[in-house]
């Protein structure tokens, strides 16, 4: 059965019914950063996940470089984003594609938190296809 | 290399640099509905796509029922959504998960267009994993 998570945040903040906001601290992310998994394994999604991240003013996301790709859409605030060796400035509504194995990091600009949706392929599915490919040599 | 599509819409409308807005008419979608593929094959995304759909006032999306799942986040307006045999009302910021093979349709409520991000697993990837599974019996 389909699932609806209602946005219940006040005053420009984002929060969703029946979605837990987790601290997000891996890889050098700034204190106060958080992550909410809107669509993922809990919802039964097998192929992808949609997460909402928020980085506080003067904060930054973890510096990452990994096999899976990211699709990002900004919901609030502004940030510098490092994509490989390039730096771009992004704001509300902008879409960013981060290909596999490209180093990336976001750093909030200004006094508003930087909030964005981030889509990833599911880890289980990536592992499954790798295992199947391995069997087929 | 990473890609940034800047949001360039005015007056509450959404439009992106270097993203084509296409008419969206399949399966009974109302005239004036449109689709913009923010992240997809053109960006090199192999595993998923992020599309933006907009349905005009009094309009509806196509009535669909298919194998792939959808993750939806509403960016503007309000709509009724049919999920299986249930009807929900959704608005800005709400997240909706539509599992595989569940019939679904959106119908705009009110005078503002209903705009939403919709994530799908890539067709090519689904076919590839099905083919690999077939080989392994």
């Amino acid at each position: 059965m389909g699932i609806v998570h209602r946005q219940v945040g006040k005053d420009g903040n984002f929060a969703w019914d029946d979605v837990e906001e987790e601290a997000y601290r891996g890889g050098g992310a700034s204190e106060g950063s958080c992550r909410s998994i809107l669509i993922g394994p809990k919802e039964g999604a097998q192929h992808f996940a949609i997460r909402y991240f928020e980085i506080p003013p003067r904060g930054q996301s973890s510096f990452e470089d990994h096999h899976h790709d990211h699709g990002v859409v900004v919901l609030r605030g502004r940030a510098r984003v490092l994509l490989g060796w390039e730096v771009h400035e992004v704001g509300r509504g902008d879409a960013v594609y981060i290909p596999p194995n490209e180093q990336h990091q976001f750093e909030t600009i200004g006094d508003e938190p930087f909030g964005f949706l981030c889509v990833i392929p599911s880890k289980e599915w990536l592992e499954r296809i790798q295992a199947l490919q391995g069997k087929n040599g």
Side-chain angles (χ1 to χ4, degrees), chain A:
Chain A
M1 187 57 67
I3 292 169
V4 176
H5 291 307
R6 292 189 188 287
Q7 212 285 111
V8 294
K10 305 289 182 198
D11 304 322
N13 293 309
F14 285 94
W16 286 267
D17 252 353
D18 203 26
V19 174
E20 198 178 349
E21 184 183 287
E22 311 162 354
Y24 160 58
R25 298 293 296 275
S30 298
E31 194 168 335
S33 300
C34 58
R35 178 176 70 175
S36 302
I37 303 175
L38 305 185
I39 311 280
K42 185 169 155 256
E43 286 67 31
Q46 291 183 31
H47 304 125
F48 58 82
I50 307 179
R51 299 94 45 88
Y52 174 74
F53 288 85
E54 203 169 278
I55 315 293
R58 290 168 294 286
Q60 53 191 27
S61 67
S62 56
F63 179 84
E64 296 186 340
D65 174 358
H66 44 60
H67 291 312
H68 60 270
D69 51 351
H70 282 313
V72 165
V73 179
V74 180
L75 292 193
R76 68 179 304 194
R78 295 195 65 76
R80 273 178 289 272
V81 54
L82 175 70
L83 292 174
W85 292 88
E86 289 186 358
V87 176
H88 301 262
E89 197 173 314
V90 295
R92 183 167 174 270
D94 289 347
V96 181
Y97 179 63
I98 304 166
N101 305 312
E102 179 160 276
Q103 58 186 5
H104 55 278
Q105 188 168 34
F106 292 92
E107 182 179 55
T108 304
I109 299 172
D111 293 330
E112 186 178 355
F114 178 66
F116 58 100
L117 298 173
C118 178
V119 175
I120 48 167
S122 87
K123 194 179 162 195
E124 291 68 26
W125 215 38
L126 282 172
E127 286 173 353
R128 197 164 142 203
I129 200 165
Q130 280 165 358
L132 286 167
Q133 281 174 326
K135 278 189 196 169
N136 288 300

